Amino acid sequence: MIILPAIDLKDKTCVRLYKGDFATAYKVADNAVTTAKNFEQAGAMWLHMVDLDGAKNGKPFNDDVIFDVKNNTNLHIEVGGGIRDMKTVDYYLENGISRVILGSAALSAPEFVKEAVKKYGKKIAVGIDAYDGKVAADGWLKTSTVGYIDLAKQMEDIGVEYIIFTDISTDGTLNGPNMNMLDKLNHSVGANIIASGGVSTIKDILGLYELGVYGAIAGKSIYSGTLDLRTAIQASQRISKTNMKNNPGFEDELERYFRKSDLIPAIIQEHATGEVLMLAYMNKESLRKTFETGYTWFYSRSRQELWNKGATSGHVQKVVSIHADCDNDTLLIKVVQTGNACHTGSHSCFFKKLI
């Protein structure tokens, strides 16, 4: 599951609201760039940013702050607030924002959403915010008669793949997400669901994972200290790796290990003895197949193809655990080795002693 720390902007300042009420806005951080860098250092790969003034006025207001964060971090950024025409969608996506969130437009202008999805596909998300199950709009200032699941189904029908759902009554309360509404939504549509509002502790993160949602947005809980971002990210990574087939966020998690290169070195170690057996390289596909099968797959740089260790010799490697180093650019894979690991017939490839 993907954890997305949040930065909400009002008058160029990082703020939080209580149940979406603009009158409750209070400052939570001095500088958006510094805050985003801290999130990145904690292991975040995505950042959720909302232009609250934009949401209220229907056009970007804090876009300079958003681009400042984009230009000073390596985070993928999704942006919401005031995006109500294709010109604004183009503006953000053509200038490096990874995903834009269409909120009020989903309710008032579904044809616009359809146009945006046709042009940008997965870079378009829809934010559905609800009071008592009914969709709110215009920066949560108005409530419609449309049910949140009805709107979600309509958005899925036009090709939307990401839905960010907020039960406004839980937002900023630290009382936990509305699990019942999220569960109903997740079982009603096939789109990736990102939970927003109310996330308070690791327990909430675990609960959301059990629901099978794609991601979770955390804001006030991080700023107030009830949720440690690094711990949440590490926990969600460990959990998701135990059952990747039921984890819709796995592909995005996989990406974090290939941000520097298309290939990542993998050190293979005998689980029982700690002996280092070999060094090989993995690309996304081979790492994915390693998770899927439970046996090691690598990428051959000379043949430029995938290969399954032991497929011809029978000297397979059953995976016990996979660890990443501190920089997420090297893997340590502990295995149960059948037979010898080296093609020379040696148990380990590291048999040439130099000193």
Side-chain angles (χ1 to χ4, degrees), residues 103 127-131 134-137 140 148 164-168 196:
I128 298 180
D129 310 320
Y131 270 126
K134 301 300 182 181
V135 178
W140 298 353
Y148 74 103
I164 300 169
F165 177 73
T166 306
D167 173 19
I168 298 173
S196 176

Side-chain angles (χ1 to χ4, degrees), residues 73-217:
T73 70
N74 292 311
L75 292 164
H76 296 298
I77 300 175
E78 63 176 25
V79 174
I83 306 174
R84 300 180 190 174
D85 54 46
M86 282 303 298
K87 181 180 178 181
T88 308
V89 172
D90 293 337
Y91 171 60
Y92 277 123
L93 294 181
E94 290 177 1
N95 285 284
I97 296 304
S98 298
R99 188 158 62 211
V100 297
I101 306 163
L102 307 182
S104 299
L107 189 64
S108 61
E111 287 302 315
F112 159 48
V113 179
K114 186 175 182 179
E115 180 186 1
V117 171
K118 183 178 180 180
K119 184 173 183 179
Y120 289 109
K122 291 183 178 181
K123 292 186 177 182
I124 303 299
V126 163
I128 298 180
D129 310 320
Y131 270 126
D132 295 326
K134 301 300 182 181
V135 178
D138 296 334
W140 298 353
L141 299 176
K142 300 177 182 178
T143 303
S144 72
T145 59
V146 179
Y148 74 103
I149 289 179
D150 292 333
L151 182 59
K153 289 180 176 180
Q154 182 184 357
M155 292 299 101
E156 183 178 37
D157 287 344
I158 64 177
V160 173
E161 295 187 41
Y162 294 89
I163 292 175
I164 300 169
F165 177 73
T166 306
D167 173 19
I168 298 173
S169 65
T170 68
D171 187 69
T173 65
L174 297 181
N175 289 329
N178 190 320
M179 296 293 188
N180 290 332
M181 293 180 75
L182 283 163
D183 192 35
K184 289 179 182 177
L185 179 60
N186 202 37
H187 281 87
S188 298
V189 297
N192 295 308
I193 304 301
I194 301 175
S196 176
V199 171
S200 176
T201 65
I202 286 292
K203 182 179 179 181
D204 295 328
I205 299 297
L206 300 179
L208 290 170
Y209 171 77
E210 291 299 322
L211 294 185
V213 298
Y214 163 86
I217 294 170

Side-chain angles (χ1 to χ4, degrees), residues 312-326:
T312 56
S313 67
H315 296 170
V316 297
Q317 296 172 340
K318 184 176 182 179
V319 176
V320 176
S321 65
I322 301 178
H323 292 78
D325 74 338
C326 57

